[in-house]
Amino acid sequence: QVLSDNLADARRRTAILAGMKWPQILLIAAVAVGAAAAVAVAGLALGNGGGGGEASVEEYETTLVKARNRLSFTLTGLSKIQGPDDFFATLDESANVAASAATELENAGVAEGLEDENERLVKALRAFSTELEGTSAELNDPNFDLGTITSIGFEQFDVVNNVLADIREQGVD
């Protein structure tokens, strides 16, 4: 019975998402996350690493570029989604990659003087990951009224970008 109820809920969600609102949701999400991805590409290149001791700016930039590229690739995938299942999978993958980037930066060496900013960046990336997961779960909830959506925003991504701006002000390009 539970499987049958879950299947019925899934069909109902799919029918709702396939309706007139779904293209609007995809557009809203693609614009919001596409903008976030563009900032991530620029922003994470300015960040710095963490718990792995001291590192030169060049050493850290190598770690940062890898994390940035993976996050950017995943986030830009949201602008190319083909339907509800693809949307939720990509949103969840983006959350996982943001969390992974936070861990990589936490374990990487930190250039001298950027320890506090790195700690803030790691926390912000983890919060962004949680925010992405929550958005996916809420939109995928069969009790959620998709008709109430007028926009999708990620406040924690703004926090990430504020930290990155602080790092840039310290001369890390």
Side-chain angles (χ1 to χ4, degrees):
Q1 180 64 32
V2 172
L3 183 58
S4 176
D5 289 345
N6 288 341
L7 183 56
D9 285 342
R11 286 185 181 144
R12 186 177 66 76
R13 278 196 313 272
T14 301
I16 290 170
L17 295 175
M20 293 298 286
K21 288 291 181 185
W22 183 245
Q24 294 166 348
I25 292 168
L26 291 179
L27 178 61
I28 291 167
V31 169
V33 178
V39 176
V41 170
L44 282 178
L46 304 175
N48 215 322
E54 286 192 24
S56 69
V57 172
E58 294 82 14
E59 291 169 331
Y60 178 74
E61 285 177 345
T62 300
T63 302
L64 189 57
V65 166
K66 290 177 186 176
R68 179 204 64 207
N69 288 347
R70 286 183 338 146
L71 183 58
S72 174
F73 178 78
T74 305
L75 288 172
T76 56
L78 283 166
S79 66
K80 300 172 186 169
I81 54 178
Q82 299 296 314
D85 292 338
D86 195 23
F87 172 71
F88 293 122
T90 305
L91 200 59
D92 291 339
E93 181 183 0
S94 296
N96 291 335
V97 170
S100 175
T103 299
E104 288 175 23
L105 295 174
E106 182 177 52
N107 294 330
V110 181
E112 186 176 342
L114 293 170
E115 296 86 356
D116 292 342
E117 288 80 1
N118 179 70
E119 185 176 332
R120 289 175 41 220
L121 181 58
V122 167
K123 286 180 183 177
L125 284 167
R126 287 202 173 111
F128 180 51
S129 173
T130 300
E131 192 172 47
L132 289 168
E133 288 173 346
T135 300
S136 178
E138 185 173 14
L139 292 176
N140 203 21
D141 183 340
N143 297 317
F144 183 75
D145 180 9
L146 294 172
T148 63
I149 296 176
T150 58
S151 66
I152 295 176
F154 300 101
E155 292 178 21
Q156 293 304 313
F157 199 77
D158 292 339
V159 175
V160 169
N161 289 310
N162 290 337
V163 174
L164 293 170
D166 292 345
I167 293 170
R168 176 182 270 168
E169 287 177 6
Q170 293 190 34
V172 177
D173 291 327

